[in-house]
Amino acid sequence: MEYTFLATAAFGLEGVAANELKRMNIPARAENGGARFEGSLLDAFRANLCLRTADRVLLVLAEQHVQTFEDLFQLVSRIPWEKYLNRDARINVSGKCVRSRLMSVRDCQSISKKAIVQRLMQKLRVDRLPETGVAFPIDVAVVNDQARITLDLSGDALNRRGYRTWNGEAPVRETLAAALVDLCPWRRGMRLYDPCCGTGTLLIEAAIKAIGRPAGIRRKFACEQYPFMPRAEMKALREELEASYDESASFSIAGSDINPEALELCRRHIRQAGFEGRIHTKAQDLRTLQLEGQPGVFLLNPPYGERLSDQKSARELYREIGLLLKRHPGWKLAVITADPAFERSFGRRADKKRRLYNGRLECEFYIYN
């Protein structure tokens, strides 16, 4: 049986997530807020295990134009909840309302839960639901009067790989870091260096890609507790993927930073990700960095200078990044920043640019080939 799913993704990454799914032989199309795909429940579990740039995998249960609370109640009531939820399921309903006639999130949540409970009690022939069992995160989104009811299959967001338990200043989320790795000129077998490595997320996401490790292979997902999921097939798929990559595969990924506290966190994260002794880091001022050997790709997320007091030093750093590239002929460079004056400070227009978001900050990803 085929179902409809949505792999949610940050603005600007919808196409990247869709391309990931296509590489898994799962046809997908980008849309606002993520990548939509049709497939089996096992396909959705594969997406949870393997997606590196998406936030969550949602099972789309119903979609319809609604203008009244009665419309919403009837839509939710028609979903066969008895097929999906346990008798003792904890029903957690979240919601959002955007540019719609129904603009009370609390009322939409309350009405939707009432519809779910009434349907379950009727179909299960019980007069109460204990809600003491597995949690089922259900989302009711009403955008432009279009309601979409979904069940979260991921649980914790997919960026929670498990290796980053300490955060330094201005960390880049794992999913964005993975997207930057995909979008930059670096490919497996090439050398990669981050001269502003901070707490190491870019380095680790590159290493995960280099060895072909499924991003979610070391964690659990909410859907593994759902009764309607094919648990035997899911277990077999996890075992198949665990055997499909070489943890000892060689790569050349390294970085440096001027901040010793950030480097300490970076080394902890590298150890937790299973790359201790393989991703090399050192304390080094970018202004004096000089690498020998084969050219590669510089990939970095430098300070943005968001506060006016920091802007001057950030732009001086951008100029130093330009000089760094000049000192390394044959190297390529990719950098993300929210500062619109980056190219002027760097000293050259980028060969390619792509608009992305780091959290709520609108950024440009500049690529120099």
Side-chain angles (χ1 to χ4, degrees), residues 19-154:
N19 286 335
E20 276 199 273
L21 287 162
K22 290 172 186 175
R23 289 195 292 273
M24 296 177 215
N25 295 318
I26 300 174
R29 59 188 183 277
E31 63 176 51
N32 188 27
R36 182 178 291 254
F37 63 101
E38 280 77 36
S40 67
L41 294 171
L42 195 61
D43 287 330
F45 185 57
R46 182 186 295 274
N48 267 312
L49 286 166
C50 298
L51 280 171
R52 297 164 48 249
T53 63
D55 294 324
R56 294 180 183 278
V57 177
L58 307 178
L59 171 59
V60 180
L61 297 171
E63 292 176 291
Q64 184 181 296
H65 188 81
V66 296
Q67 292 187 333
T68 68
F69 288 122
E70 180 62 22
D71 290 342
L72 179 61
F73 182 87
Q74 293 300 328
L75 174 64
V76 177
S77 294
R78 287 194 295 272
I79 297 169
W81 294 105
E82 65 280 3
K83 172 182 171 182
Y84 300 109
L85 273 58
N86 291 325
R87 183 180 294 265
D88 61 350
R90 277 187 288 138
I91 304 166
N92 299 333
V93 181
S94 61
K96 72 173 181 179
C97 300
V98 180
R99 298 185 299 275
S100 298
R101 298 189 185 188
L102 303 183
M103 284 300 290
S104 170
V105 174
R106 181 174 294 181
D107 286 341
C108 287
Q109 289 173 278
S110 176
I111 286 164
S112 297
K113 181 158 184 176
K114 180 180 178 181
I116 297 168
V117 169
Q118 286 191 4
R119 165 107 189 191
L120 282 175
M121 288 196 302
Q122 177 190 358
K123 294 295 182 179
L124 299 177
R125 298 181 181 178
V126 296
D127 56 9
R128 62 182 293 272
L129 299 174
E131 294 199 54
T132 56
V134 172
F136 287 78
I138 296 158
D139 185 68
V140 179
V142 186
V143 179
N144 294 322
D145 292 329
Q146 184 75 9
R148 182 174 67 209
I149 318 300
T150 57
L151 174 62
D152 185 355
L153 302 182
S154 300

Side-chain angles (χ1 to χ4, degrees), residues 20-317:
E20 276 199 273
L21 287 162
K22 290 172 186 175
R23 289 195 292 273
M24 296 177 215
N25 295 318
I26 300 174
R29 59 188 183 277
E31 63 176 51
N32 188 27
R36 182 178 291 254
F37 63 101
E38 280 77 36
S40 67
L41 294 171
L42 195 61
D43 287 330
F45 185 57
R46 182 186 295 274
N48 267 312
L49 286 166
C50 298
L51 280 171
R52 297 164 48 249
T53 63
D55 294 324
R56 294 180 183 278
V57 177
L58 307 178
L59 171 59
V60 180
L61 297 171
E63 292 176 291
Q64 184 181 296
H65 188 81
V66 296
Q67 292 187 333
T68 68
F69 288 122
E70 180 62 22
D71 290 342
L72 179 61
F73 182 87
Q74 293 300 328
L75 174 64
V76 177
S77 294
R78 287 194 295 272
I79 297 169
W81 294 105
E82 65 280 3
K83 172 182 171 182
Y84 300 109
L85 273 58
N86 291 325
R87 183 180 294 265
D88 61 350
R90 277 187 288 138
I91 304 166
N92 299 333
V93 181
S94 61
K96 72 173 181 179
C97 300
V98 180
R99 298 185 299 275
S100 298
R101 298 189 185 188
L102 303 183
M103 284 300 290
S104 170
V105 174
R106 181 174 294 181
D107 286 341
C108 287
Q109 289 173 278
S110 176
I111 286 164
S112 297
K113 181 158 184 176
K114 180 180 178 181
I116 297 168
V117 169
Q118 286 191 4
R119 165 107 189 191
L120 282 175
M121 288 196 302
Q122 177 190 358
K123 294 295 182 179
L124 299 177
R125 298 181 181 178
V126 296
D127 56 9
R128 62 182 293 272
L129 299 174
E131 294 199 54
T132 56
V134 172
F136 287 78
I138 296 158
D139 185 68
V140 179
V142 186
V143 179
N144 294 322
D145 292 329
Q146 184 75 9
R148 182 174 67 209
I149 318 300
T150 57
L151 174 62
D152 185 355
L153 302 182
S154 300
D156 287 338
L158 296 182
N159 68 290
R160 301 292 181 88
R161 320 276 205 234
Y163 65 78
R164 194 170 82 176
T165 52
W166 299 275
N167 285 332
E169 186 178 348
V172 61
R173 182 180 276 195
E174 296 91 329
T175 44
L176 176 59
L180 298 181
V181 168
D182 282 0
L183 294 170
C184 82
W186 178 79
R187 297 294 178 266
R188 290 181 188 176
M190 295 174 67
R191 190 177 180 187
L192 184 137
Y193 196 95
D194 181 357
C196 297
C197 68
T199 58
T201 309
L202 285 169
L203 299 176
I204 294 167
E205 290 300 321
I208 288 172
K209 181 174 182 178
I211 67 171
R213 180 199 294 169
I217 201 68
R218 296 185 168 190
R219 55 161 286 184
K220 296 293 185 180
F221 302 95
C223 64
E224 291 179 86
Q225 299 185 74
Y226 296 169
F228 62 92
M229 295 295 289
R231 295 189 183 183
E233 291 93 330
M234 289 160 63
K235 182 175 182 290
L237 176 60
R238 186 183 277 276
E239 291 172 352
E240 175 191 328
L241 290 173
E242 283 174 342
S244 69
Y245 68 96
D246 182 3
E247 191 73 45
S248 64
S250 62
F251 55 76
S252 179
I253 296 170
S256 54
D257 201 282
I258 199 171
N259 184 339
E261 292 180 1
L263 276 175
E264 177 58 30
L265 291 180
C266 178
R267 287 163 183 154
R268 290 187 194 180
H269 294 161
I270 288 170
R271 183 168 60 251
Q272 291 200 156
F275 296 116
E276 187 172 20
R278 304 180 65 201
I279 298 175
H280 302 288
T281 60
K282 62 180 178 179
Q284 174 78 53
D285 191 327
L286 179 148
R287 293 172 295 182
T288 59
L289 179 65
Q290 183 64 58
L291 301 177
E292 304 298 330
Q294 190 76 14
V297 177
F298 290 115
L299 174 62
L300 59 158
N301 172 42
Y304 298 167
E306 297 163 62
R307 294 188 295 268
L308 196 60
S309 58
D310 298 334
Q311 198 173 78
K312 183 179 178 182
S313 60
R315 290 179 178 176
E316 287 174 356
L317 177 62

Side-chain angles (χ1 to χ4, degrees), residues 295-359:
V297 177
F298 290 115
L299 174 62
L300 59 158
N301 172 42
Y304 298 167
E306 297 163 62
R307 294 188 295 268
L308 196 60
S309 58
D310 298 334
Q311 198 173 78
K312 183 179 178 182
S313 60
R315 290 179 178 176
E316 287 174 356
L317 177 62
Y318 302 157
R319 186 178 70 85
E320 292 296 338
I321 293 170
L323 296 175
L324 170 71
L325 189 58
K326 285 183 179 179
R327 291 198 303 273
H328 293 81
W331 280 72
K332 301 177 181 183
L333 182 140
V335 55
I336 184 171
T337 177
D339 190 339
F342 174 81
E343 287 172 302
R344 185 166 66 249
S345 302
F346 180 88
R348 179 182 142 199
R349 293 181 68 84
D351 297 306
K352 293 181 184 176
K353 289 193 291 186
R354 182 163 180 149
R355 183 155 299 170
L356 299 171
Y357 279 78
N358 187 356

